[in-house]
Amino acid sequence: MKVNKIYQERLSKKEDSYFINAHTHIFNANDTPIHLAKKFIIWPFYFLLNTQWAITVLKKYRKKQSKKFRYRAKNKVWQKYLTSKSLFYQYSKRILLIAANIIFFFYTVYLIQPLISFWPVKGWLTAIYENDWVKNFLFFKRRFYYLSIVMIVVIFFKDIRSWFFKLIWNNLKKRLGKDLVDFILRYKNILLFAGYGNMKGIFNKLKNQYPPKTKFVVLPMDMEYMKAGSVKRPYTEQMEQLLKIKRKNPNDIYPFLFAHPKRMNKKFKGKPYFSGGLNKQGKYVLKTSLVMDYFNEGCSGVKIYPALGYYPFDEELLPLWLYCAQNNIPITTHCSVGPIFYRGNLKHLKKPSKINPPRGIDRHPVFDEIVGKNSSGKNIIEPLRLPLHRNKVFQRNFTHPLNYICLLHEPFLKKVLDFHSNKDLNKLFGYDLKNKEKPLDRNLANLKINLAHYGGSENWDEFLKKDRYDEANAIIKKPTIGLDLKKRLDNNTILYSMWHYVDWFSIISSMMICFDNVYTDISYTAHDLKYLNLLSEIMDNKRIGKRILFGTDFYVVSNHKSEKQFWIDMQNTLGMDKWNRLAKINPKNFLNI
């Protein structure tokens, strides 16, 4: 009886508990630009991978596949099974396989005949293949028989066929490169989920892979301004569907709204997307706008994706960040390098310079570097150089974790305000240009930010491989201060080195140590079991371990494993204590639950 009572208590606790997936997506291909293949496939061939065309083909294929579940199709399958059990069918199949094996053996021996030099086998084979009757079966030159053998193997031997196609795919992956392979896999996933006309179907696919009461942060995507063609469904309609799901599942979903600088000052049916101002108490309050409506209807936070062509400290975003900082509203930002990025001409992103010296798109708006010394021996300081590489490389500058220091650390926030040279922003933050040493009336030190993906798996690999660099060992050697960012970033030499050479895993970990409201999630990045050991180790750091969030990046992560495999692997590898912090306690703190 006592054992049974303990079991019932444990079962009750398990049923009452729940965990939170802090990073998921349920948008579909209707929210994706039609020329997503741009910058991966050369012009004009990327037009052939038009997203909407691909969806049309896929839907027709799915419709055809669905016919398999009709009575006629099921009866046809059963009849085929009965036919396969007949003696005539079995003997015919056996004779066919024997013939295929004989042909395969015949041509294989013919191909390797020149390599056989020992007697008497050589003599026998020569006599056989030089026979006039046998020559009638050797229609082509010797090299064509390789193709014959391959065709026989592919047609008749399933295991060898699977191995052959796997070999071809692995070879293609090496030749195409990691970026293009990642794009192909993500493009495939977008198409696979395109068959669901509304996001409800995708959400159910997600929800059904988790225990009851599991909760999900759902992040929308606004890709209208990424210069990859038009999107079929406007972002506002995507949000309408998302909030409709929220109303029907009030306890299961935490939707975020999306903030893109180019949308912030737009109007929709006469209503601004974002509007607000300071009240008499110095608090930023929202005015009538879509953002205000979204928060009132259940949005729990804000999502941004700087890789689409902007910095997180864009002047259009700063008022929203002040509102979020004052109201403890969480922000999730993409913080890794991937296949979704700005597809247009980078030079078109350049804004008119309001300061001297000017900082174009190939210079960082805030950070500086030392480029030499003058005749007096003093340092020559210029804006940090950002060479205009290809878009998929340059996106790193928009998504770099050090950009968020420009929001969280007041000395750099002042430099952001200097760069924008906007009187309204200066008034908003209480920035006194006549006395720049005076503290701001309002800053963003309390801004709660989730640097999603923890830098990406390539940065985790870089961190683990580097054994001679002090910066890559700082988190282990100095667990209480890490890279000591607040003190060291004032040094332009160190800043240049950190921007270009230090792995993002070390930077993000150090930011969590230095700033109380910086979080990160392990969505997509921790899909491989080899990374769970590093995750377990870093969670032992008291400051870092309480601000790492469980997330999967559904449905993108299904390239590697299913949702249920993702969380089951992680739960059982980390153990219940760390799992509870990762998937329950930390997300609750991030979401203010």
Side-chain angles (χ1 to χ4, degrees), residues 238-366:
Q238 181 190 160
M239 287 302 299
E240 286 175 10
Q241 279 207 13
L242 182 55
L243 292 171
K244 186 177 180 180
I245 296 172
K246 168 67 176 176
R247 289 191 290 272
K248 292 185 177 181
N249 303 270
N251 300 317
D252 299 333
I253 184 172
Y254 296 94
F256 278 34
L257 61 91
F258 201 95
H260 193 295
K262 291 187 177 180
R263 190 176 292 280
M264 300 301 284
N265 56 12
K266 300 287 185 183
K267 286 190 176 182
F268 302 88
K269 298 180 180 178
K271 182 180 288 189
Y273 184 73
F274 174 76
S275 181
L278 291 174
N279 62 16
K280 293 180 180 179
Q281 290 74 38
K283 190 169 182 179
Y284 195 89
V285 293
L286 294 179
K287 297 179 181 179
T288 301
S289 61
L290 288 182
V291 168
M292 182 179 182
D293 292 344
Y294 293 155
F295 280 130
N296 290 338
E297 291 178 45
C299 280
S300 301
V302 180
K303 167 70 185 294
I304 60 172
Y305 206 100
L308 297 179
Y310 56 91
Y311 289 98
F313 46 80
D314 189 284
E315 62 183 320
E316 300 294 343
L317 297 176
L318 289 176
L320 177 59
W321 296 160
L322 181 59
Y323 175 76
C324 290
Q326 291 181 339
N327 292 277
N328 200 25
I329 294 173
I331 301 160
T332 289
T333 177
H334 178 79
C335 194
S336 68
V337 174
I340 304 298
F341 53 82
Y342 181 72
R343 298 295 203 269
N345 190 329
L346 290 171
K347 294 179 181 179
H348 294 164
L349 294 174
K350 180 180 178 181
K351 295 182 179 180
S353 181
K354 300 176 183 179
I355 59 173
N356 191 32
R359 294 177 184 248
I361 190 64
D362 57 355
R363 302 280 187 155
H364 194 276
V366 177

Side-chain angles (χ1 to χ4, degrees), residues 289-487:
S289 61
L290 288 182
V291 168
M292 182 179 182
D293 292 344
Y294 293 155
F295 280 130
N296 290 338
E297 291 178 45
C299 280
S300 301
V302 180
K303 167 70 185 294
I304 60 172
Y305 206 100
L308 297 179
Y310 56 91
Y311 289 98
F313 46 80
D314 189 284
E315 62 183 320
E316 300 294 343
L317 297 176
L318 289 176
L320 177 59
W321 296 160
L322 181 59
Y323 175 76
C324 290
Q326 291 181 339
N327 292 277
N328 200 25
I329 294 173
I331 301 160
T332 289
T333 177
H334 178 79
C335 194
S336 68
V337 174
I340 304 298
F341 53 82
Y342 181 72
R343 298 295 203 269
N345 190 329
L346 290 171
K347 294 179 181 179
H348 294 164
L349 294 174
K350 180 180 178 181
K351 295 182 179 180
S353 181
K354 300 176 183 179
I355 59 173
N356 191 32
R359 294 177 184 248
I361 190 64
D362 57 355
R363 302 280 187 155
H364 194 276
V366 177
F367 296 142
D368 298 318
E369 66 173 287
I370 299 170
V371 297
K373 294 184 180 293
N374 60 20
S375 57
S376 304
K378 293 184 178 180
N379 292 330
I380 301 174
I381 298 176
E382 291 185 2
L384 184 66
R385 297 166 178 172
L386 306 176
L388 282 177
H389 296 297
R390 291 175 298 171
N391 293 44
K392 65 181 179 182
V393 177
F394 192 84
Q395 65 165 310
R396 183 178 185 274
N397 298 312
F398 293 127
T399 61
H400 202 294
L402 286 180
N403 285 322
Y404 300 91
I405 301 287
C406 300
L407 296 173
L408 298 165
H409 194 35
E410 187 168 308
F412 284 113
L413 180 57
K414 288 181 178 179
K415 291 184 178 182
V416 169
L417 296 173
D418 285 336
F419 171 74
H420 293 313
S421 190
N422 184 312
K423 292 181 181 179
D424 292 334
L425 285 178
N426 292 341
K427 183 178 179 181
L428 189 67
F429 288 93
Y431 184 30
D432 188 349
L433 294 177
K434 295 179 180 178
N435 182 13
K436 292 189 176 183
E437 298 300 318
K438 178 187 173 184
L440 298 175
D441 293 340
R442 290 163 289 279
N443 63 28
L444 300 175
N446 293 326
L447 199 62
K448 184 182 286 186
I449 304 177
N450 166 28
L451 303 178
H453 311 298
Y454 214 150
S457 57
E458 64 273 14
N459 279 283
W460 288 41
D461 288 332
E462 187 181 354
F463 168 79
L464 291 170
K465 289 176 183 177
K466 286 184 175 179
D467 55 0
R468 295 181 292 109
Y469 296 93
D470 290 338
E471 287 83 357
N473 297 323
I475 295 298
I476 295 174
K477 189 177 181 181
K478 304 172 184 177
T480 58
I481 60 173
L483 293 169
D484 203 6
L485 295 174
K486 284 185 180 179
K487 291 183 179 179

Side-chain angles (χ1 to χ4, degrees), residues 115 136 142 166 186 224 267 269 341 449 469-470 490 507:
L115 303 177
N136 291 326
R142 187 182 297 271
K166 186 177 180 181
R186 293 198 185 196
E224 185 177 336
K267 286 190 176 182
K269 298 180 180 178
F341 53 82
I449 304 177
Y469 296 93
D470 290 338
D490 288 331
I507 293 174

Side-chain angles (χ1 to χ4, degrees), residues 101-116:
N101 283 324
I102 292 171
I103 295 170
F104 178 77
F105 180 77
F106 176 77
Y107 285 120
T108 301
V109 174
Y110 177 67
L111 285 171
I112 66 172
Q113 180 194 353
L115 303 177
I116 300 173

Side-chain angles (χ1 to χ4, degrees), residues 60-122:
K60 287 183 178 179
Y61 171 76
R62 279 186 168 171
K63 188 175 181 180
K64 184 179 179 181
Q65 292 295 100
S66 66
K67 292 180 179 178
K68 292 181 179 180
F69 299 97
R70 296 179 181 177
Y71 294 128
R72 183 177 178 182
K74 289 190 288 186
N75 292 335
K76 190 175 181 180
V77 170
W78 180 250
Q79 189 60 46
K80 186 178 179 181
Y81 164 74
L82 294 176
T83 302
S84 69
K85 300 297 288 183
S86 69
L87 291 176
F88 175 77
Y89 178 87
Q90 290 181 5
Y91 281 120
S92 299
K93 182 179 178 181
R94 184 169 297 180
I95 291 170
L96 186 63
L97 286 174
I98 291 172
N101 283 324
I102 292 171
I103 295 170
F104 178 77
F105 180 77
F106 176 77
Y107 285 120
T108 301
V109 174
Y110 177 67
L111 285 171
I112 66 172
Q113 180 194 353
L115 303 177
I116 300 173
S117 58
F118 55 91
W119 186 89
V121 175
K122 183 178 180 181

